[in-house]
Amino acid sequence: MDHNLDATDRRILMVLQRQGRISNAELSERVNLSPSACHRRVQRLEEEGFIADYVALLNARKLGRTTTVYVEIKLASQADEVLDAFEGAVLKVPEVLECHLMAGAADYLLKVVAEDTEDFARLHRAKLANLPGVAQIQSSFSLKCVQSTTALPV
């Protein structure tokens, strides 16, 4: 935990994580500050990088992306140029929501969304299998999302 954050900063961050569109007036009431003091704190939290961005979280089901797949990828080599080429190419695949360089059996773990299993098969064949350096792919389909949040503990 960062010791530059006091209890009020933490309350502000907790509220904003769950209600990013809250007005400054309402936020100031919720955290028991004057609107001007609250605004100054939010600006400071943004400037110091505690607040990285503001986004709208979309409903994947409403957009027809009902299938979530976790894809483990092993590369043919661990050379920097292979890793760089893979990372650069995977950034261009919009269905990949997350890409993590891993320690362990797989080199990368991807979180991928698709319309259904047929759509994922197309994506697998056309895009994932053709990423630079890919030697092996293992896919696991999510059957049910038990917990999903973007809120970090503060």
Side-chain angles (χ1 to χ4, degrees), residues 39-112:
H39 181 70
R40 282 192 304 275
R41 280 189 184 242
V42 170
Q43 282 184 314
R44 181 181 54 79
L45 291 167
E46 291 170 349
E47 290 166 3
E48 292 179 1
F50 290 100
I51 299 172
D53 212 343
Y54 295 91
V55 300
L57 299 176
L58 305 182
N59 183 325
R61 290 202 172 279
K62 289 278 190 184
L63 293 170
R65 304 294 180 153
T66 60
T67 303
T68 301
V69 186
Y70 292 90
V71 181
E72 294 179 351
I73 295 185
K74 292 182 185 178
L75 299 180
S77 166
Q78 301 293 310
D80 283 343
E81 57 272 6
V82 174
L83 297 173
D84 291 343
F86 176 85
E87 290 175 8
V90 81
L91 292 174
K92 297 174 184 168
V93 181
E95 296 88 350
V96 176
L97 300 184
E98 296 180 22
C99 175
H100 301 269
L101 177 62
M102 303 297 289
D107 294 312
Y108 288 92
L109 178 65
L110 280 56
K111 180 179 179 182
V112 177

Side-chain angles (χ1 to χ4, degrees), residues 129-146:
N130 292 316
L131 290 169
V134 171
Q136 186 178 350
I137 299 176
Q138 169 127 6
S139 302
S140 299
F141 287 77
S142 172
L143 300 177
K144 175 183 173 186
C145 180
V146 176

